[in-house]
């Protein structure tokens, strides 16, 4: 059993909006995307969403987030074959291509939607040549 003060402390930890969790990533990304409602500023928006959770991404282009996240032990790369395998809060980093020299980054919100600098259907990887 927990004493009342221990329960309160435990509950506060479970519902801390600054704790790095998939749910907090998804919630922050949605809030930022809904407030931003732009196009072409995906990296700035996702960086803004992740910063309060203790994730600092640097660089000028979205594709530059891939090595930063791969080198952060709090994140694991996923190999997926379809959108159905994504989970709410997964961060998707799209590679750069001739048509998209900066790549793209977004957070999966569920229901085939992603948040970046706006809310949209999940971007198909074919336009970018792949994603991590």
């Amino acid at each position: 059993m927990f004493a009342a003060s221990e329960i309160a402390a435990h509950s506060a930890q479970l519902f801390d909006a600054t704790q790095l969790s998939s749910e907090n990533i998804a919630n922050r990304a949605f809030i930022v995307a809904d407030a931003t409602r732009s196009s072409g500023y995906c990296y700035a928006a996702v960086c803004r969403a992740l910063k309060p959770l203790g994730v600092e991404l640097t660089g000028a282009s979205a594709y530059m987030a891939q090595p930063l996240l791969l080198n952060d032990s709090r994140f694991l790369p996923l190999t997926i074959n379809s959108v159905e395998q994504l989970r709410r809060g997964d961060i998707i980093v799209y590679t750069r291509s001739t048509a998209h020299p900066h790549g793209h980054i977004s957070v999966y919100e569920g229901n085939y939607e992603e948040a970046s600098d706006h809310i949209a259907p999940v971007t198909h990887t074919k336009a970018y040549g792949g994603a991590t």
Side-chain angles (χ1 to χ4, degrees):
M1 290 182 61
F2 293 97
S5 63
E6 290 175 301
I7 291 172
H10 182 69
S11 295
Q13 183 181 15
L14 289 176
F15 299 107
D16 182 357
T18 61
Q19 179 184 26
L20 184 61
S21 68
S22 295
E23 192 61 27
N24 283 345
I25 290 170
N27 288 339
R28 292 271 326 140
F30 184 88
I31 290 166
V32 170
D34 192 49
T36 305
R37 296 185 186 200
S38 67
S39 183
Y41 298 97
C42 61
Y43 196 38
V46 172
C47 288
R48 198 165 50 253
L50 295 176
K51 189 172 184 173
L53 302 175
V55 179
E56 292 278 340
L57 298 177
T58 59
S61 296
Y63 75 88
M64 295 176 175
Q66 183 202 30
L68 298 172
L69 293 170
L70 288 173
N71 288 324
D72 188 327
S73 62
R74 299 172 294 176
F75 296 95
L76 298 171
L78 302 173
T79 302
I80 63 164
N81 298 313
S82 69
V83 174
E84 287 81 17
Q85 292 174 289
L86 289 171
R87 292 178 306 179
R88 183 170 154 78
D90 284 349
I91 301 168
I92 310 164
V93 181
Y94 297 82
T95 59
R96 62 182 173 167
S97 66
T98 304
H100 302 281
H102 297 284
H104 178 55
I105 188 168
S106 64
V107 174
Y108 186 65
E109 292 293 329
N111 297 324
Y112 302 97
E113 288 187 325
E114 67 181 20
S116 57
D117 55 341
H118 61 279
I119 307 298
V122 173
T123 302
H124 198 287
T125 60
K126 286 183 183 178
Y128 293 87
T132 302

